Amino acid sequence: MEKTVYNSFPLHPECPDVRRLADNPAEALLRAEADIVAAENAAELDRYRTLENLEEAQQDGRGVTRRTFVAGAAATATALATAQFVTTSASFAATKTGTLIHVFLYGGLDGLSLVAPNNDPVLSKARPDLLLGNDSLALDRGFKLTSAFKPLEKWLTAGQLGFIPGVSDERLSRSHFQAADACNLGGLPNETGGRGWLDGLVDHLGKGTAFRSVGIGSTLPRSLVGNNGALSLNNVGSLRLNGDEKYRAATEKAIKGLFTGINHPVEEAVQEGMGALATAQQLAAKPYQAVEGVTYEGVGNAFKQLAQLIKGGANVRVATVGMGGYDTHENQGTAAGGQLHRRLNELAKAMAAFFTDLGPQAADVTIMVSSEFGRRVGSNTGGTDHGHGGVVTVLSGKKLAGSLLGTWNGLDKLDSGDVPEYNNMFNVYGAVAQGRFGLTNAEVQKVFPRQKYAPMKLYA
């Protein structure tokens, strides 16, 4: 019985039977495949000729625009390009407005192991095993700072390092997932539409490059999810088109060609997006060299990528860095050599290296460090459980109003065993951003839906 192969294109002008194309079955199949491909290519050529005729019709005034051509001939490429580059809407020479970097400490930082009132009787009774030591650094208003942050003492003395205690929000539960989600969104999902607060902030920062929103890491944090198409990258060199290396240059050339002179809004975005890729490749062409004496370790490698972008002129406006290891139910180790002390020291070294590496450009940068919640005041014998009233840290190129910022009314009246909410988290976020970018109260209000923004004096 003869086997007949059916296809939308004939295998052979007069012969649908594969075995009649050659004596050898393998050769017959190859010939059949070649004939199919030739027929498909001919049909595709006819389709492109039709599209060319449509394009030419535009010149004859017959109402067909180049946008019709884009939709027909390059729909797939358009979708790819807009998904990657639609946020790019200005050149690298865009006006500088500075950079805000949000460092999020996952797990729930025990703020009282970072900064705490000195010789407080409540703390002495509730957590005698977790008190800050005599090697602590002095802060304003009778507070002290863990010695883990000694690498940042230079900026503390200069008035550029400050801490806001008693930070929380009534929307936050004691669930890591729920609290972290609310912190990144700037409220509950149904209040924000699932859009991150940093993405909302970008709306008010004017035009920028493809690098204006950057998340350092393999996944984009919720704070950058939204309308402005943030980039997520582990290192600057990883920002490139996907695919085989040997075809990458040709692919980039093809995309540039497809989106040149097309009379379509996506043209500018794609061309500048490709420019961003070129800049990233240029920056990554040789190993990044920090200034003499600066080394990046641990979480510092994330800051290293941001230093490379900022010093390379990528015009980063907002960026995020994540750091885990702060869920200290046991073996908290607040004293020198302890687990939490080591984590905080790693963070402090990273921020000190970053600001030193930036040099004069650090004047345009603010780092804000926060966590999803604080922890309970009382020790559970070596650790602390989930609580509220955490601490937000600010390291800024702009001088701050003090080393201890915001409201503090003591620990005489705890909130179910937690540090009370003396400073609303989203007011703190908003005030940090407002001081960095010079926003109005109304602009900050739009970033945090259903939150009545109350400005705070954080900067000098």
Side-chain angles (χ1 to χ4, degrees):
M1 179 178 178
E2 293 184 343
K3 182 177 180 180
T4 301
V5 176
Y6 296 98
N7 196 281
S8 58
F9 296 98
L11 292 176
H12 190 273
E14 298 178 354
C15 182
D17 184 5
V18 173
R19 288 179 296 178
R20 295 180 185 176
L21 296 179
D23 294 334
N24 184 303
E27 291 180 3
L29 288 172
L30 285 174
R31 286 187 62 187
E33 183 177 359
D35 287 338
I36 291 173
V37 170
E40 290 176 339
N41 285 343
E44 191 71 4
L45 181 60
D46 287 342
R47 188 169 74 88
Y48 274 92
R49 283 174 177 165
T50 300
L51 289 167
E52 287 177 1
N53 290 335
L54 288 172
E55 185 182 9
E56 291 174 1
Q58 177 192 11
Q59 307 301 326
D60 297 334
R62 285 179 276 178
V64 181
T65 68
R66 290 291 295 274
R67 296 185 186 187
T68 304
F69 179 77
V70 171
T76 302
T78 303
L80 169 66
T82 53
Q84 290 292 325
F85 306 126
V86 76
T87 61
T88 306
S89 55
S91 70
F92 274 82
T95 303
K96 292 194 303 180
T97 60
T99 304
L100 173 62
I101 300 168
H102 186 194
V103 179
F104 200 85
L105 307 181
Y106 289 94
L109 169 67
D110 178 33
L112 292 171
S113 290
L114 175 61
V115 298
N118 193 23
N119 296 322
D120 187 278
V122 175
L123 296 182
S124 297
K125 182 178 180 180
R127 52 166 60 203
D129 54 333
L130 297 176
L131 299 175
L132 295 180
N134 294 328
D135 58 351
S136 300
L137 306 175
L139 299 179
D140 295 341
R141 293 154 64 182
F143 268 66
K144 55 185 177 181
L145 167 67
T146 175
S147 60
F149 261 44
K150 194 168 181 62
L152 290 168
E153 188 172 14
K154 168 185 172 181
W155 291 273
L156 177 64
T157 303
Q160 295 174 259
L161 178 65
F163 304 87
I164 304 105
V167 178
S168 190
D169 185 89
E170 62 182 8
R171 300 168 180 82
L172 305 183
S173 72
R174 298 177 192 269
S175 159
H176 289 296
F177 178 83
Q178 188 277 342
D181 202 39
C183 291
N184 280 292
L185 294 176
L188 300 179
N190 64 341
E191 297 173 348
T192 63
R195 187 184 187 194
W197 78 272
L198 284 175
D199 186 72
L201 173 62
V202 170
D203 288 349
H204 305 286
L205 302 184
K207 293 183 177 182
T209 71
F211 294 106
R212 65 177 179 168
S213 301
V214 178
I216 304 298
S218 56
T219 58
L220 194 69
R222 291 272 274 175
S223 60
L224 290 175
V225 171
N227 304 331
N228 292 295
L231 295 173
S232 178
L233 50 91
N234 284 309
N235 59 76
V236 175
S238 67
L239 183 61
R240 56 177 57 203
L241 292 177
N242 291 329
D244 196 311
E245 178 68 35
K246 63 183 178 181
Y247 300 123
R248 187 167 288 128
T251 302
E252 291 177 5
K253 183 179 179 180
I255 291 176
K256 289 179 182 177
L258 278 170
F259 294 94
T260 298
I262 60 173
N263 188 30
H264 191 283
V266 78
E267 178 181 357
E268 179 185 359
V270 172
Q271 294 297 330
E272 290 170 357
M274 297 304 293
L277 286 175
T279 298
Q281 292 167 19
Q282 182 181 358
L283 291 173
K286 58 182 180 180
Y288 175 70
Q289 189 66 46
V291 300
E292 185 177 357
V294 169
T295 58
Y296 289 102
E297 298 177 345
V299 72
N301 286 305
F303 286 97
K304 179 180 178 181
Q305 307 310 313
L306 292 175
Q308 187 174 8
L309 287 172
I310 292 170
K311 292 169 69 175
N315 199 33
V316 178
R317 300 286 179 81
V318 297
T320 62
V321 171
M323 184 182 186
Y326 289 88
D327 194 14
T328 53
H329 289 281
E330 57 186 8
N331 301 320
Q332 185 162 304
T334 300
Q339 175 183 326
L340 181 57
H341 192 280
R342 288 196 302 270
R343 296 301 283 163
L344 290 172
N345 188 242
E346 178 185 330
L347 175 62
K349 286 180 178 178
M351 293 196 295
F354 179 59
F355 259 47
T356 301
D357 194 12
L358 290 181
Q361 288 178 273
D364 297 321
V365 176
T366 294
I367 300 174
M368 181 180 73
V369 184
S370 68
S371 190
E372 64 259 45
F373 44 58
R375 307 188 79 83
R376 296 178 68 77
V377 173
S379 166
N380 63 10
T381 311
T384 49
D385 295 325
H386 300 178
H388 292 296
V391 172
V392 170
T393 301
V394 179
L395 173 64
S396 181
K398 298 179 66 175
K399 191 169 183 179
L400 300 173
S403 60
L404 194 82
L405 302 161
T407 299
W408 178 257
N409 291 327
L411 296 172
D412 294 335
K413 295 182 180 180
L414 300 183
D415 180 10
S416 300
D418 296 339
V419 177
E421 180 192 320
Y422 290 132
N423 301 286
N424 180 265
M425 174 174 286
F426 303 126
N427 286 338
V428 174
Y429 283 11
V432 172
Q434 184 173 36
R436 174 72 268 168
F437 297 113
L439 305 177
T440 65
N441 290 349
E443 287 173 327
V444 177
Q445 179 72 65
K446 291 180 181 178
V447 176
F448 301 101
R450 302 190 189 179
Q451 165 76 18
K452 181 61 177 176
Y453 174 59
M456 299 176 61
K457 183 174 177 56
L458 301 182
Y459 298 89

